[in-house]
Amino acid sequence: MGRWQRLGGRVVHENPWMVVTQDEVLRPDGTPGEYGVVTVRSEAVFVVAVDGAPGAEEVVLVRCDRYTTGEGWEVPAGGADGDDLLAGARRELAEEAGLRAERWRDLGPVTSLNGICRAPGRVFLAQGLEPVETEQGPGVADEQALEGISEVRRVPWPELMGMLARGEVTDGETLAALLLAAVALGRVC
C-alpha cells in the first residue's frame, strides 16, 4: 500500500472562511479517484476555561446554536484570524463567555473532520477567570447574540462528566478539548 497522491484539482467554492476543492487523486491502493476537500483559512482555537480551587474546579461552557447542527454545549471557540493563536483564544473567551484569564496554557493541536477537511486547531487552558470590563463598541451580549450563544454556564467537573455520559455534549472539538484539559489537570489516569 502506498500513500494518497494529489494529481491535480480545482477550486469549486471559496469565501473568506474556507476553500472547497475537487481533487483528482491516486488512492493508497493505486486506483484513481476524486476527493472533495474543505480547507479552512484560519486556524481555530478552543478554550477550556477552568476556575475554582483544585478538586472543586468548574468548566465554562456556552450553549451555542449552530446553523449546521442546532443547539449544543461547547467550550468557547472560533477562528484565530491570524498567527497569534493565544490572542485569538483570549478574544474568543471574552466575546463568547465575557471572561478573561490570568493564566494560559497551550495544550496542543487538534484537527477537525480530518476525513474531509484541513482544519487545524489549538486547545488552550485558561485559569484565574474574571469578567471582562466593558469597552466602547459592541458589548459581550452583542457578540454572544451574533454567535448564537444563549447561555454561559460554569459546570463542576463531576456534573460535566455526567453531561458527557448522558450525551449532552456532542461537539467533537469540545470533547477533544475537554479531554486534553482533563489530562493536563490530572483528572484522568
Side-chain angles (χ1 to χ4, degrees), residues 122-143:
R122 200 90 190 164
V123 177
F124 290 91
L125 177 64
Q127 295 177 290
L129 306 178
E130 297 178 2
V132 295
E133 296 181 18
T134 305
E135 299 174 7
Q136 291 184 348
V140 170
D142 297 326
E143 291 293 337

Side-chain angles (χ1 to χ4, degrees), residues 144-164:
Q144 288 174 338
L146 182 65
E147 297 289 329
I149 295 171
S150 60
E151 185 179 351
V152 177
R153 186 170 161 206
R154 291 177 184 237
V155 182
W157 273 105
E159 184 181 336
L160 177 62
M161 293 300 110
M163 291 174 72
L164 298 177

Side-chain angles (χ1 to χ4, degrees), residues 34-63:
E34 292 185 340
Y35 212 106
V37 178
V38 176
T39 301
V40 296
R41 293 190 186 267
S42 182
E43 190 163 351
V45 290
F46 305 94
V47 181
V48 181
V50 178
D51 213 11
E57 297 102 343
E58 296 177 319
V59 178
V60 175
L61 296 178
V62 295
R63 184 137 182 96

Side-chain angles (χ1 to χ4, degrees), residues 6 10-13 19-23 35-38 118:
R6 182 179 185 272
R10 64 185 174 87
V11 173
V12 295
H13 175 76
V19 176
V20 181
T21 58
Q22 184 68 33
D23 292 343
Y35 212 106
V37 178
V38 176
R118 290 184 188 101

